[in-house]
Amino acid sequence: VRNNNWWGGEVYLDSVTVRLLPDKDTAVYAFSSGEISICPAENDEWGKYVDAETSSYKEYMTEYYNFIGLNHKNIFLSRDEVRLALLHIIDRDAVLKSGAPGFSESANAPFRKNWIYHTVEKSEKEKDLNKAREFLEDSGWILQNGTYKKSDRSRSYTLKFDILVNEESYKKEQFAKKVAEELSDFGIPVTITKLPYEKYTDAINKGAYDMFIGSVNLSKETDYEFWFRDGNMFLLEDKDLLTSVQAMQLAKDEEDFGLKVTDFIKMFNDKVPFIGIGFENSVLLYKSDVKGEVIPISNNIYNGIEKLYIKEES
C-alpha cells in the first residue's frame, strides 16, 4: 500500500498485489490470461503470449553468460594452438542466435561491452578460418581427406571432439549443434552427447568430457576466481589467470579496475581457458493499461514501479 511519507517522493499507485507463482513459465501463462499486469519472462516462447494490442515488453540486460567449456587435460585441448584455432573457427554470433535469437549479445571474454570503460581498446577474437588453419598447420596438423591429422614416429592422431550438453536445455542443444557444425565443416569432427542434468554436471565435475556447453549467472562484483582456482571445472592450472582476476578485486578505483579488466581480457583471449558464446537478455512483460515508464534493470526488474499506474476506463 502506498506510503505518502516515502522518502523517494510521490508514488502513483494506490497498492500493488504480489502473486507468488511456482515459476516464471507459470507467470507468463498467468500474464497471457490477464491474471497479472506485469511479470518477467525467460521462456524462449514468451512471444506467443504477448498480444500487441493488449500488452508490450521492455528488454533488459542480464549477467547470464553462455560458454564452451574446454577440458585442459584432454591431449589436444591442452595445446595452445588447438584452442586458438577453435577460437577462430567458431562464429559466436551464429552460435548464440541458433539458441537465443533476438535478445542476446555475443562475447568471448565474460564481460559485456558496456560494463566498464577501458583505457585500452579491448579486442574480441572474430572468426578467421585462415588464421585457424595457420595455428594448426604451423604445429604439424595436416588436412587429409577433409579431417585434420597429425603423425609422430609411433602413431597418427585425428583432431576430433565430443561436446557434452544438458539434454533438458533445448537452447544449449542448439548451441552444441551449431558448434559441431562449424568445427566439422572445418575438418574437426565433433559428436554430441546429451545427458540428464545430474549426469551432465557429474561428468563435468569428474572431468569426463572433451567440451561442454555451460552457462552461469555472473557475479556483479566480477568475482571470477571460481573459474581458475584449484579444482576448477576445466582442470586448468594457470596461476597467471588466477592472479589477474584477483587483481581486479583489489583495484583501488574505477580507472585502476578498468585497466585490470583490460589486462584480464587480453590474457583471456591469448590463453583461451574456455570459449565464450555470449550474454542473454530478459524481458519484462506488461499490459497496455500499465502507464508510465517501465525501466527494468538487471538488479531490480521492477525499477521505477512507484511511478507506474493503471489507466482506468471512464
Side-chain angles (χ1 to χ4, degrees), residues 19 25 32 45 95 104 148-149 162 199 201 226 293:
R19 291 279 304 278
D25 288 351
S32 67
E45 299 182 336
V95 174
S104 55
Y148 274 93
K149 300 180 183 292
D162 182 82
K199 291 185 177 180
T201 54
F226 70 97
E293 188 178 6

Side-chain angles (χ1 to χ4, degrees), residues 85-285:
L86 295 178
L87 180 62
H88 287 86
I89 295 168
I90 296 169
D91 183 340
R92 70 180 60 87
D93 280 313
V95 174
L96 192 58
K97 289 175 182 177
S98 71
F103 297 97
S104 55
E105 175 188 300
S106 64
N108 183 39
F111 287 89
R112 277 189 177 270
K113 296 180 176 66
N114 65 336
W115 272 4
I116 187 72
Y117 294 102
H118 302 288
T119 55
V120 179
E121 178 110 11
K122 65 177 183 178
S123 59
E124 285 285 7
K125 300 297 183 182
E126 302 297 341
K127 181 172 181 176
D128 188 333
L129 298 185
N130 289 330
K131 188 167 288 186
R133 293 187 188 96
E134 184 179 323
F135 280 122
L136 293 177
E137 293 170 6
D138 285 353
S139 299
W141 292 96
I142 300 172
L143 189 63
Q144 298 179 353
N145 300 320
T147 303
Y148 274 93
K149 300 180 183 292
K150 186 175 184 178
S151 300
D152 57 26
R153 295 179 182 178
S154 58
R155 60 177 296 184
S156 177
Y157 301 92
T158 298
L159 196 56
K160 59 182 180 180
F161 301 107
D162 182 82
I163 300 179
L164 184 65
V165 66
N166 170 17
E167 68 178 17
E168 295 153 23
S169 173
Y170 171 81
K171 173 180 61 186
K172 290 184 175 61
E173 183 179 345
Q174 296 309 301
F175 290 164
K177 286 180 177 179
K178 189 61 179 177
V179 171
E181 175 190 318
E182 295 207 322
L183 294 180
S184 297
D185 287 348
F186 182 82
I188 302 175
V190 173
T191 56
I192 297 173
T193 296
K194 297 187 290 183
L195 293 176
Y197 181 73
E198 288 188 6
K199 291 185 177 180
Y200 159 82
T201 54
D202 186 54
I204 293 171
N205 291 334
K206 291 178 178 177
Y209 70 90
D210 297 336
M211 302 178 184
F212 70 91
I213 302 296
S215 59
V216 62
N217 201 20
L218 290 172
S219 160
K220 296 179 188 300
E221 291 75 33
T222 61
D223 181 6
Y224 295 169
E225 283 191 41
F226 70 97
W227 269 325
F228 307 112
R229 66 169 70 101
D230 290 345
N232 63 75
M233 66 183 78
F234 311 119
L235 305 180
L236 170 67
E237 298 176 11
D238 194 308
K239 298 301 182 185
D240 292 337
L241 281 164
L242 179 59
T243 299
S244 183
V245 296
Q246 290 171 337
M248 290 192 297
Q249 297 299 302
L250 298 174
K252 60 181 181 291
D253 53 36
E254 184 174 314
E255 181 179 359
D256 187 39
F257 179 65
L259 290 169
K260 297 293 195 305
V261 169
T262 302
D263 290 343
F264 170 76
I265 291 174
K266 182 179 186 309
M267 187 181 297
F268 182 93
N269 287 334
D270 290 342
K271 289 178 175 284
V272 196
F274 53 92
I275 297 173
I277 297 174
F279 292 87
E280 293 178 54
N281 291 347
S282 288
V283 297
L284 190 68
L285 307 177

Side-chain angles (χ1 to χ4, degrees), residues 2 11-17 31 34-39 54-56 285-294 302 304-314:
R2 178 175 62 204
V11 177
Y12 295 169
L13 289 167
D14 293 319
S15 65
V16 174
T17 300
F31 177 84
E35 295 178 50
I36 54 179
S37 300
I38 187 168
C39 76
T54 62
S55 55
S56 190
L285 307 177
Y286 59 97
K287 293 296 185 180
S288 55
D289 61 354
V290 174
K291 302 302 180 180
E293 188 178 6
V294 178
Y302 298 113
I305 194 171
E306 71 278 3
K307 298 300 183 184
L308 302 181
Y309 60 94
I310 301 294
K311 183 177 180 181
E312 297 180 351
E313 293 184 8
S314 57

